[in-house]
Amino acid sequence: MIRRIERALHRRVARWLDPLCELGGRVVEVRGLEQLLLAMGWQRRPVLRGEHLRAFRGIEDLHERRMRDAEVIGAACANEGRKSLLEIGTGRGLTTALMAENAPHATVHTVNIPPDEIAGGGRLTTFAPSLDEIGSYVRERQLTNVAQILANTAHWEPDVGPLDVAFIDGCHDADFVYHDTRKVLAHCREGAVILWHDFHPGLVRTYPWIGSVASGIDRLFRDGLLRGRVLHLQDSWVGLYRVPSAGARA
């Protein structure tokens, strides 16, 4: 009993000193695409197309951040995208197209909140497209393996599983990240990959939305909904997590 109390007190002190202490002990930094492929046991390199991947629009894009993001997402889809993929946060559809091109035999289900419901979609949203803008890049590319869904994920229940890959880039409020991930987990196959955008352990105090995303993921670990490691490709803003088998150890 005394040891149990001591452990509980230790956890409380640790959380007071570092609110993201659970997540902080779970992240593994990966240096370069080749090392990411090695870590995940993947063979296929991603297809990376579009000048937007090399765009520099501000300090957040240093070190080819957009390309690094695309490497992680594209590699996950190329190697794990067998049948069903999910994206939360379509925007104009640049990442949707990346997912669809790297998993050509799968369907990419992509969800975006309708513009007239944006007020109920949380506080930390980095882009609120008009109805015509949602998925416009996918339509330009005439990609046929994409299914567009208009819904607020606060109320939406996925019916698209079992999922091979899920990319979460909707509202960045910690509660949305937590609940979106929790919903996604219920529809993932064992071994599926979950990706979070605006994830960077070194920038949690620099950008409020990155800190909020990290807080939501930390809570998922604390509640036992996530186990194992989160990989982070150096210079990217993407976290990568493989759903363990039912019998895998934490």
Side-chain angles (χ1 to χ4, degrees):
M1 176 64 76
I2 294 176
R3 288 183 179 178
R4 197 177 307 167
I5 293 172
E6 288 177 343
R7 286 196 294 268
L9 287 172
H10 177 76
R11 286 193 295 269
R12 288 187 181 184
V13 170
R15 286 206 60 76
W16 179 76
L17 293 173
D18 181 4
L20 301 177
C21 62
E22 186 65 39
L23 175 61
R26 301 282 186 165
V27 179
V28 174
E29 190 82 1
V30 183
R31 296 179 181 174
L33 176 60
E34 296 301 329
Q35 293 300 303
L36 179 67
L37 297 176
L38 182 64
M40 295 298 293
W42 290 340
Q43 300 296 320
R44 297 189 183 93
R45 296 179 62 85
V47 175
L48 304 172
R49 294 189 182 127
E51 289 301 314
H52 61 277
L53 297 180
R54 299 191 183 278
F56 181 84
R57 297 172 184 166
I59 196 169
E60 293 83 5
D61 293 331
L62 284 172
H63 312 298
E64 295 192 310
R65 191 269 302 173
R66 294 174 185 270
M67 182 62 74
R68 301 291 84 78
D69 289 356
E71 287 175 346
V72 183
I73 300 163
C77 296
N79 288 277
E80 302 289 348
R82 304 168 191 172
K83 186 176 180 180
S84 185
L85 295 79
L86 174 66
E87 176 190 36
I88 295 178
T90 312
R92 283 187 287 264
L94 297 174
T95 302
T96 319
L98 172 70
M99 296 174 71
E101 289 178 338
N102 277 284
H105 304 297
T107 299
V108 179
H109 307 271
T110 181
V111 185
N112 205 93
I113 189 169
D116 59 357
E117 296 183 31
I118 194 67
R123 185 173 55 90
L124 295 173
T125 52
T126 53
F127 178 50
S130 68
L131 190 60
D132 288 341
E133 286 178 310
I134 295 172
S136 57
Y137 186 74
V138 173
R139 293 191 293 276
E140 289 173 17
R141 299 294 303 274
Q142 298 183 332
L143 296 168
T144 59
N145 61 326
V146 174
Q148 182 69 63
I149 300 167
L150 295 177
N152 181 347
T153 59
H155 314 297
W156 177 70
E157 289 297 331
D159 185 22
V160 294
L163 292 170
D164 303 311
V165 178
F167 177 56
I168 299 174
D169 187 26
C171 174
H172 297 82
D173 292 13
D175 282 346
F176 266 86
V177 173
Y178 178 90
H179 289 293
D180 284 351
T181 306
R182 186 170 184 170
K183 287 181 180 181
V184 164
L185 278 167
H187 295 272
C188 284
R189 64 169 173 81
E190 291 185 359
V193 171
I194 296 177
L195 305 151
W196 298 277
H197 197 231
D198 294 286
F199 177 92
H200 191 304
L203 297 175
V204 293
R205 292 178 176 83
T206 305
Y207 300 106
W209 62 93
I210 291 181
S212 188
V213 169
S215 180
I217 299 171
D218 184 84
R219 181 180 164 195
L220 288 158
F221 274 112
R222 283 187 282 121
D223 288 354
L225 296 171
L226 299 181
R227 296 176 289 135
R229 303 293 183 186
V230 176
L231 300 187
H232 175 249
L233 181 65
Q234 191 175 46
D235 297 322
S236 82
W237 280 18
V238 179
L240 184 154
Y241 172 81
R242 187 185 288 281
V243 176
S245 62
R249 299 178 64 182

